[in-house]
C-alpha cells in the first residue's frame, strides 16, 4: 500500500468522519456549471461568451457564494449575491431530477454505521441546497449535524467549518478524517489538522494535490480507500 494511505491508520481508534456535500456525496459540479453558464450568458457576462470548465474550476467550484459574487461582479457585489441566489434556485430545480450518489457511497455509509462513528456534513452550500442534496440521497438520518459555511465566521477555505464540526461532535482532530473534492475544501480540512481523502470527481488532480490531501481516490469504490480502511481496522483491533 502506498505510504500516504497508511497515514489514516494513525487515527486508530477513529471517532468520526466528516464529508463535504457538493461533489463529495454527489457529482453536482456539472449542474452548477450548467446553471452558471446559462445564466451568465443570458446577462451578457464575458461579452456573452459562455464560461469554460477552466473558468468554473478556478473561480466557482467549492467556493462560498459570497466569494463567487465578489469574483464575478467585483463592481457590484449586491447584484452578484442576488445573481447567486437566483442561480441556486435553478440548481435546486435541476438537482431534484439529476442528483446521483458518488459510486460506493452507500458501501462507505455502512462501514461508518457498523463502527458507530460520528459523522457531519460540512459545506459551503446554502442551507436549502445542502438539505435538498442530503435528503435526495437518503442521508438525512445518517448525519449527526450539518455545518454550513455561512454559520461560521469564515467559510472554507478557512478551517472554521471543520473546527466547528469537531467541537459540535465532541471529537478530536487526531481521530477524525475528511472527504473533500475541491481545493478550497481540502485546504480547509488540512488547515484544521486532519487527514483529507480527496475525490477526483471533477477537479484536476494536479490542482487537488497542491492542497496537500493525504491521498486521492476516484470514488468510494476505489480499492485504495478500502485498503486504507482495512489498515485502520487492523490498528483498532
Amino acid at each position: 500500500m502506498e505510504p500516504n494511505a497508511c497515514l489514516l491508520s494513525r487515527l486508530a481508534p477513529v471517532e468520526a468522519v466528516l464529508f463535504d456535500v457538493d461533489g463529495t456525496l454527489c457529482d453536482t459540479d456539472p449542474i452548477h456549471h450548467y446553471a452558471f453558464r446559462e445564466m451568465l450568458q443570458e446577462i451578457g457576462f464575458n461579452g456573452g461568451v459562455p464560461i469554460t470548465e477552466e473558468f468554473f474550476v478556478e473561480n466557482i467550484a467549492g467556493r462560498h457564494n459570497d466569494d463567487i459574487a465578489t469574483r464575478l461582479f467585483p463592481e457590484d457585489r449586491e447584484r452578484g449575491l442576488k445573481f447567486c441566489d437566483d442561480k441556486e434556485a435553478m440548481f435546486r430545480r435541476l438537482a431534484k431530477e439529476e442528483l446521483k450518489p458518488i459510486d460506493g457511497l452507500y458501501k462507505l455509509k455502512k462501514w461508518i454505521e457498523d463502527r458507530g462513528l460520528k459523522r457531519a456534513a460540512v459545506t459551503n452550500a446554502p442551507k436549502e441546497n445542502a438539505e435538498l442534496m442530503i435528503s435526495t440521497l437518503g442521508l438525512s438520518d445518517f448525519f449527526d449535524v450539518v455545518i454550513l459555511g455561512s454559520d461560521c465566521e469564515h467559510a472554507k477555505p478557512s478551517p472554521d467549518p471543520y473546527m466547528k464540526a469537531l467541537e459540535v461532535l465532541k471529537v478530536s482532530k487526531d481521530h477524525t478524517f475528511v472527504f473533500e473534492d475541491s481545493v478550497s475544501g481540502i485546504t480547509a480540512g488540512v488547515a484544521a489538522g486532519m487527514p483529507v481523502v480527496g475525490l477526483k470527481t471533477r477537479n484536476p488532480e494536479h490542482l487537488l494535490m497542491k492542497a496537500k490531501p493525504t491521498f486521492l481516490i476516484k470514488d468510494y469504490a476505489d480499492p485504495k480507500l478500502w485498503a486504507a480502511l482495512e489498515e485502520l481496522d487492523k490498528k483498532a483491533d
Side-chain angles (χ1 to χ4, degrees):
M1 191 196 311
E2 62 186 85
N4 280 352
C6 294
L7 291 176
L8 281 194
S9 62
R10 71 178 169 77
L11 300 172
V14 70
E15 298 173 343
V17 185
L18 311 179
F19 289 85
D20 172 48
V21 177
D22 268 304
T24 300
L25 297 177
C26 42
D27 183 7
T28 46
D29 271 0
I31 309 176
H32 284 295
H33 184 202
Y34 174 81
F36 271 110
R37 194 181 65 220
E38 295 298 300
M39 289 179 62
L40 286 170
Q41 194 175 1
E42 208 171 284
I43 60 168
F45 182 85
N46 190 31
V49 178
I51 61 166
T52 61
E53 183 85 25
E54 289 71 27
F55 180 90
F56 176 80
V57 166
E58 198 154 311
N59 297 285
I60 296 171
R63 295 181 184 279
H64 192 271
N65 275 348
D66 288 358
D67 184 9
I68 296 169
T70 306
R71 281 168 173 259
L72 296 183
F73 299 89
E75 308 302 318
D76 190 347
R77 196 160 172 278
E78 284 312 305
R79 182 188 182 199
L81 292 170
K82 168 78 174 76
F83 175 89
C84 286
D85 282 349
D86 293 344
K87 176 255 144 188
E88 296 306 358
M90 181 180 183
F91 167 80
R92 287 191 291 273
R93 287 195 301 276
L94 295 167
K96 276 181 189 162
E97 307 301 317
E98 300 182 28
L99 216 56
K100 290 182 179 64
I102 298 290
D103 283 352
L105 177 64
Y106 298 119
K107 181 184 176 189
L108 177 62
K109 172 181 182 278
K110 184 177 185 319
W111 185 89
I112 292 167
E113 288 171 336
D114 287 350
R115 284 150 189 77
L117 306 180
K118 294 180 178 180
R119 50 265 187 180
V122 182
T123 179
N124 272 355
K127 188 169 194 264
E128 281 181 88
N129 287 24
E131 287 173 351
L132 171 76
M133 289 184 276
I134 288 167
S135 68
T136 303
L137 294 167
L139 297 173
S140 299
D141 295 337
F142 174 68
F143 289 112
D144 300 309
V145 65
V146 177
I147 304 290
L148 302 171
S150 52
D151 288 344
C152 303
E153 194 173 338
H154 303 285
K156 303 176 203 174
S158 159
D160 289 5
Y162 279 115
M163 306 292 272
K164 186 172 178 179
L166 292 170
E167 199 182 305
V168 172
L169 292 178
K170 297 183 171 60
V171 292
S172 160
K173 68 178 173 58
D174 300 326
H175 298 285
T176 303
F177 67 102
V178 174
F179 286 105
E180 268 286 358
D181 76 302
S182 69
V183 171
S184 159
I186 294 171
T187 302
V190 169
M194 289 175 285
V196 181
V197 179
L199 280 101
K200 299 184 282 188
T201 312
R202 291 281 161 186
N203 296 313
E205 190 165 329
H206 70 278
L207 281 186
L208 296 178
M209 286 311 292
K210 280 184 185 167
K212 300 189 167 43
T214 302
F215 59 99
L216 293 178
I217 55 174
K218 178 178 178 286
D219 52 34
Y220 300 117
D222 194 322
K224 196 192 295 184
L225 171 65
W226 291 95
L229 295 180
E230 202 176 303
E231 200 66 24
L232 188 51
D233 273 343
K234 275 186 204 155
K235 280 277 170 71
D237 288 343

